[in-house]
Amino acid sequence: MKLPIAAGLATAAVTITLYPLFQGGAWFWACAGAVLVTTATGALLSRLAPRDRASSPWVTSHIMAAALLIYLTAAFAGDQAWLRVIPNKDSVLRLFFLLVEGFDDIQRYAAPVPADPAVCLLTAGGVGLIAIFVDLLAVRLRRAATAGLPMLALFTVPAAVMTDPIGWPAFVIGAFGYVGLLVADGRERLSRWGRAVIVRRSRLTPGSGVLPDTGRLALSGKRIGVMAIALAILVPGLLPTLSPDPLFGFGVGNGSGPGGGTIGVPDAMVKLGGQLRQPENKPVLTYTTSDGRSRYLRIYSLDRFDGTTWRVGTLQGRREDRVSAGPLPPPPGLGPGIATRRAETRISISEDISKLNFLPLPYPPAQVDVDGDWRADRFSLQVFSTEDEAAGLSYQVVTDEPEPTTEQLRLTPAVDPDVDSPYLELPVTLDPEIHELALEVTRRVATPYEKAVRLQEWFTRTGGFTYSLDVGGGGPAVLTDFLLGTRTGYCEHFAGAMAVMARSLGIPARVATGYTGGTRAGDTWTVRTHDSHAWPELYFDGIGWLRFEPTPGGSGGQGTAQAPQYTLPVTPTTAPTSGPSRDSAAETDETDDAANPVRPDRRRADRDMDGSPVPLASRPSTAAKVGAGLAAVLLLALTPAGIRGMVRLRRRRALAAAAAAPAPAVEAAWAELCDALTDLGLAREPGESPRALGRRLIDRHGMDGEEAESVVRIVSAQERLRYARTPGDAIPGPADLTRVRRGLARGVSRRRRLAVGLAPMSTLQRIRAFGGRALEVFDLSLARR
């Protein structure tokens, strides 16, 4: 009974690592209740159930799952349940809708999310299932070391979501929980070795014995576990920090002190969506400008697109690139003939923001006056630090913003598409219809600048797009659906889509994330959480990187988003400028309207003729996704039973064709008898002949009459098939197997019969054997290699 309790305590210990994901402590008490109920159920069943029943592991897991359902019903749907604890149709529907709401909440909010009932139900249910899996592996199947896998899955959730590392106290508690489970398993295994043999004379009676002394081994195991945990915590802190190398990632090189440092860049798009969906619109920073204008403040420059996510590329911050050493490197691509506007911006960042190692800055920064070791990347002009954080900082930024004329922008030549540029790279898996769509949108204009303006106009006015936060994140399917399907999304989708389309037209592009200009009160601009934004930056030779704004602004879009003056619609030229263009040979249709450039025959079926989205009744909702997930889990749980049914059906067909093929029929009857014995826990003994098996079944299970005749017919036919030329005339049929199975089932418990239907042991053994053979083939291939 100690091992189930140790398994529950280990799960509870690892659950503590989820603390960074939630606000308040309601989630923890809900999870603690789930672990307590499943652990108590498992411990009670371990005390009541016999140890030698092979089906008890699977039946026990189902009973624990039922207990978990009762607990969740009482905790979250008690008003709809019978007697507040017994699930019924109304309570199950209530739990289902809460699960759907919970899935929506975790996608809508950034961590830490509010611990409302829906989120608590989702978390408690997941932790309860983890506790059941840990109990199944550690207690029922006696694989305590393997039980660390579901606990590791629970541990990796905050590690994957949060940018900050998990606190070492939570790691220590979780590690001790796992070590305690291993120690409990080892002590129980040792206690089953048998009685100790007493050599010296004593007053013990002949029938008495002494259990093995497990104290010393347990003490050694505890010492090893404590030492391993201590080394895992102390050794990384004692090792000298290595200076990052661009070959392995990004960071600062040639740092001062004993070593350099590393910086962590979170998934900027995921963080952006979470900030936009937060219910509270908290102040992030304030700033003032020397010319009174608002400015976008860029944090990350994302130039790597893998078809799923935009990410920050390699950063280099050398000692001479410290912002305190003087002016920053000149903006890439800015030529001598372009006028610039110099402005000073004073920024004060709130102390309540999450960890941030990058400075929000207007682009392009020429000089930054800030305390600490902050360095600038030469190519993107991002300013970052490996030692300092932006929270609570106040600093001054000087910018030299290019102000090209419309004529200068029109005369900008196109970039040669054959030149290897990371800002033109697109994944080979990109839907080719996206490139065709970009050609059609810009077919009436010739220069790269005019194409960029036409793309922005198409996103904001003529393309029929709708701004909404109730959509998913990034990815190839979402990008295709956004452009060619629903045309509904928020700034992440607009910015990424325009950058992809610009690259497909041969215009270098990247995505920037940060904040819009915010709102003004007097001389001070205030930027809040909901001002988080993403926008594309496009490169023009001789001018450099320019910001564009494809996301709608105002009340119908992202409120403070504003398009720069130079990106407003212009009169298209009639001939292309010098330099090759990727779509210069594209055919044009003079009969099409320039304001609505996509021809009707090119539209997707899910859009109306006027370009507005058509409601997609077939688009899967969150409820449908949750239902599909539950159906998939149920299907997976019933897979062994389904395989067993298919095998039984195939053997019955062989028995039905016994007249034409007697030998296969005899083999099928014998194989079905052996599988039935395995499922019922009455498997053949090693070396037992068919005749001996038949005699044992008849004598031990009290079979007589037709049941005994059926047993004799099956074993006799198998015996003749082995040792005679023919199986004889007495070929068993389906009725014989039915009678034998009915006679055997009378001697086993109802729980065993339920296990035969849900998780037949014969099928599970075959699946396990198949996995073992697959591992052997893998090991053999590695050995030959």
Side-chain angles (χ1 to χ4, degrees):
M1 191 171 176
K2 295 181 179 179
L3 190 56
I5 297 176
L9 292 176
T11 306
V14 179
T15 304
I16 297 176
T17 60
L18 299 179
Y19 76 92
L21 302 179
F22 307 98
Q23 297 176 1
W27 69 272
F28 175 77
W29 299 113
C31 294
V35 174
L36 179 61
V37 168
T38 54
T39 301
T41 304
L44 181 61
L45 293 175
S46 297
R47 187 174 185 85
L48 297 179
R51 292 183 177 181
D52 57 348
R53 292 191 173 182
S55 63
S56 59
W58 311 102
V59 176
T60 300
S61 298
H62 286 85
I63 296 176
M64 294 175 66
L68 176 62
L69 176 61
I70 293 174
Y71 164 74
L72 296 177
T73 301
F76 299 97
D79 296 338
Q80 288 79 20
W82 293 333
L83 302 178
R84 301 192 62 86
V85 294
I86 302 177
N88 56 16
K89 179 181 178 181
D90 295 335
S91 66
V92 171
L93 288 177
R94 171 63 175 167
L95 293 179
F96 177 76
F97 289 129
L98 278 178
L99 285 176
V100 173
E101 183 181 348
F103 276 106
D104 288 337
D105 287 346
I106 62 175
Q107 295 177 6
R108 183 178 297 113
Y109 301 133
V113 300
D116 54 25
V119 173
C120 289
L121 170 63
L122 186 64
T123 308
V127 171
L129 291 178
I130 293 293
I132 294 175
F133 277 113
V134 172
D135 181 271
L136 174 64
L137 293 172
V139 183
R140 316 303 159 185
L141 301 181
R142 306 311 305 269
R143 299 289 188 271
T146 310
L149 293 178
M151 289 191 290
L152 180 63
L154 189 64
F155 181 83
T156 55
V157 173
V161 174
M162 303 299 297
T163 58
D164 296 335
I166 299 175
W168 66 265
F171 169 78
V172 170
I173 295 174
F176 270 114
Y178 180 57
V179 171
L181 176 61
L182 296 180
V183 171
D185 177 72
R187 296 191 65 169
E188 184 164 338
R189 287 177 181 273
L190 186 60
S191 65
R192 294 186 179 184
W193 285 2
R195 302 286 182 175
V197 179
I198 306 301
V199 179
R200 65 182 184 274
R201 295 182 179 181
S202 65
R203 297 181 179 179
L204 293 175
T205 60
S208 65
V210 179
L211 288 176
D213 181 12
T214 62
R216 294 185 178 181
L217 289 178
L219 182 59
S220 299
K222 293 175 182 178
R223 289 174 178 174
I224 295 174
V226 171
M227 183 61 65
I229 296 173
L231 291 177
I233 297 174
L234 296 178
V235 170
L238 296 177
L239 289 177
T241 306
L242 301 179
S243 298
D245 191 297
L247 178 64
F248 300 100
F250 59 87
V252 295
N254 304 324
S256 61
T262 59
I263 53 176
V265 179
D267 190 330
M269 291 302 191
V270 173
K271 187 174 182 180
L272 169 66
Q275 289 180 332
L276 289 174
R277 296 187 181 98
Q278 282 186 356
E280 298 183 56
N281 193 17
K282 299 180 179 180
V284 176
L285 58 88
T286 58
Y287 69 93
T288 59
T289 58
S290 59
D291 56 4
R293 293 184 178 183
S294 65
R295 282 175 172 78
Y296 278 37
L297 302 175
R298 187 189 65 168
I299 300 178
Y300 304 113
S301 178
L302 315 177
D303 53 21
R304 296 293 184 266
F305 181 62
D306 58 7
T308 302
T309 309
W310 288 89
R311 300 189 183 279
V312 176
T314 301
L315 298 180
Q316 297 184 24
R318 298 171 296 182
R319 178 174 301 183
E320 56 268 28
D321 293 328
R322 292 175 178 171
V323 298
S324 59
L328 273 63
L334 182 60
I338 306 300
T340 59
R341 169 190 288 269
R342 170 155 288 209
E344 296 183 2
T345 305
R346 296 180 179 273
I347 303 174
S348 298
I349 300 182
S350 171
E351 295 182 353
D352 297 330
I353 67 171
S354 59
K355 181 179 180 180
L356 182 63
N357 296 107
F358 288 71
L359 291 183
L361 300 171
Y363 185 85
Q367 188 170 349
V368 179
D369 185 8
V370 61
D371 295 332
D373 185 8
W374 296 88
R375 308 188 183 192
D377 177 64
R378 288 179 171 267
F379 300 100
S380 63
L381 298 184
Q382 297 175 85
V383 175
F384 57 92
S385 175
T386 62
E387 301 176 358
D388 301 299
E389 296 184 22
L393 276 182
S394 295
Y395 51 95
Q396 179 177 339
V397 186
V398 177
T399 54
D400 288 327
E401 302 168 359
E403 291 188 333
T405 64
T406 303
E407 190 64 24
Q408 288 175 325
L409 288 168
R410 281 177 170 173
L411 294 176
T412 301
V415 177
D416 189 347
D418 296 330
V419 176
D420 184 16
S421 172
Y423 304 105
L424 290 174
E425 292 179 356
L426 290 173
V428 295
T429 57
L430 186 69
D431 192 334
E433 290 191 41
I434 294 178
H435 175 56
E436 297 175 6
L437 180 63
L439 293 176
E440 292 185 7
V441 171
T442 61
R443 70 184 183 280
R444 299 290 297 273
V445 293
T447 68
Y449 162 68
E450 292 169 343
K451 293 176 183 178
V453 173
R454 178 58 59 87
L455 285 177
Q456 175 178 288
E457 182 185 9
W458 181 67
F459 279 108
T460 54
R461 293 200 309 112
T462 64
F465 287 87
T466 303
Y467 182 88
S468 175
L469 292 173
D470 296 329
V471 292
V478 174
L479 175 63
T480 302
D481 186 58
F482 173 70
L483 287 174
L484 307 176
T486 63
R487 296 193 178 178
T488 300
Y490 56 95
C491 57
E492 168 187 343
H493 304 87
F494 286 95
M498 182 172 176
V500 168
M501 295 179 73
R503 286 190 177 189
S504 70
L505 297 173
I507 305 175
R510 65 191 183 189
V511 174
T513 64
Y515 300 100
T516 61
T519 57
R520 186 173 185 176
D523 295 333
T524 302
W525 298 83
T526 300
V527 176
R528 300 180 179 273
T529 305
H530 291 179
D531 293 320
S532 301
H533 193 48
W535 61 91
E537 294 179 339
L538 276 58
Y539 180 85
F540 300 95
D541 194 19
I543 299 175
W545 293 98
L546 294 179
R547 174 177 68 88
F548 283 76
E549 186 52 89
T551 305
S555 59
Q558 187 143 349
T560 53
Q562 294 181 351
Q565 185 67 30
Y566 55 80
T567 66
L568 299 181
V570 296
T571 303
T573 58
T574 57
T577 58
S578 59
S581 177
R582 182 172 294 187
D583 61 330
S584 60
E587 297 180 0
T588 60
D589 189 353
E590 298 298 333
T591 62
D592 290 339
D593 185 6
N596 193 11
V598 184
R599 296 193 300 269
D601 61 340
R602 299 292 304 192
R603 296 184 184 277
R604 299 290 286 252
D606 51 6
R607 300 195 62 79
D608 204 347
M609 294 300 294
D610 61 354
S612 60
V614 175
L616 300 179
S618 60
R619 186 179 182 184
S621 61
T622 304
K625 294 178 182 179
V626 174
L630 295 178
V633 172
L634 180 61
L635 180 62
L636 181 63
L638 296 179
T639 297
I643 296 175
R644 183 72 175 93
M646 295 173 59
V647 171
R648 184 178 299 169
L649 180 61
R650 177 172 55 83
R651 291 169 178 170
R652 282 185 172 273
R653 291 176 179 175
L655 291 174
V666 173
E667 290 289 355
W670 177 252
E672 182 62 25
L673 174 62
C674 294
D675 283 352
L677 293 174
T678 302
D679 294 338
L680 296 171
L682 308 170
R684 292 175 57 198
E685 298 177 359
E688 189 175 28
S689 65
R691 181 175 299 183
L693 174 64
R695 188 181 304 112
R696 176 169 65 88
L697 295 180
I698 294 174
D699 295 341
R700 183 172 300 178
H701 295 276
M703 295 183 179
D704 55 7
E706 293 183 348
E707 294 178 352
E709 292 177 0
S710 296
V711 173
V712 172
R713 190 175 296 113
I714 295 175
V715 298
S716 298
Q718 177 65 17
E719 191 176 51
R720 287 184 59 85
L721 184 63
R722 289 185 178 184
Y723 305 111
R725 294 183 177 181
T726 62
D729 298 330
I731 304 299
D736 293 318
L737 288 174
T738 302
R739 284 191 290 268
V740 173
R741 188 182 299 109
R742 185 169 55 245
L744 295 174
R746 286 198 305 267
V748 298
S749 63
R750 181 178 301 177
R751 186 171 62 177
R752 169 72 71 173
R753 293 195 296 269
L754 179 62
V756 171
L758 294 177
M761 188 56 63
S762 59
T763 303
L764 296 176
Q765 289 181 354
R766 285 191 175 89
I767 295 175
R768 180 178 179 182
F770 175 79
R773 289 193 296 270
L775 291 177
E776 290 176 1
V777 172
F778 179 73
D779 293 339
L780 181 61
S781 63
L782 289 180
R784 290 184 176 179
R785 183 179 301 177

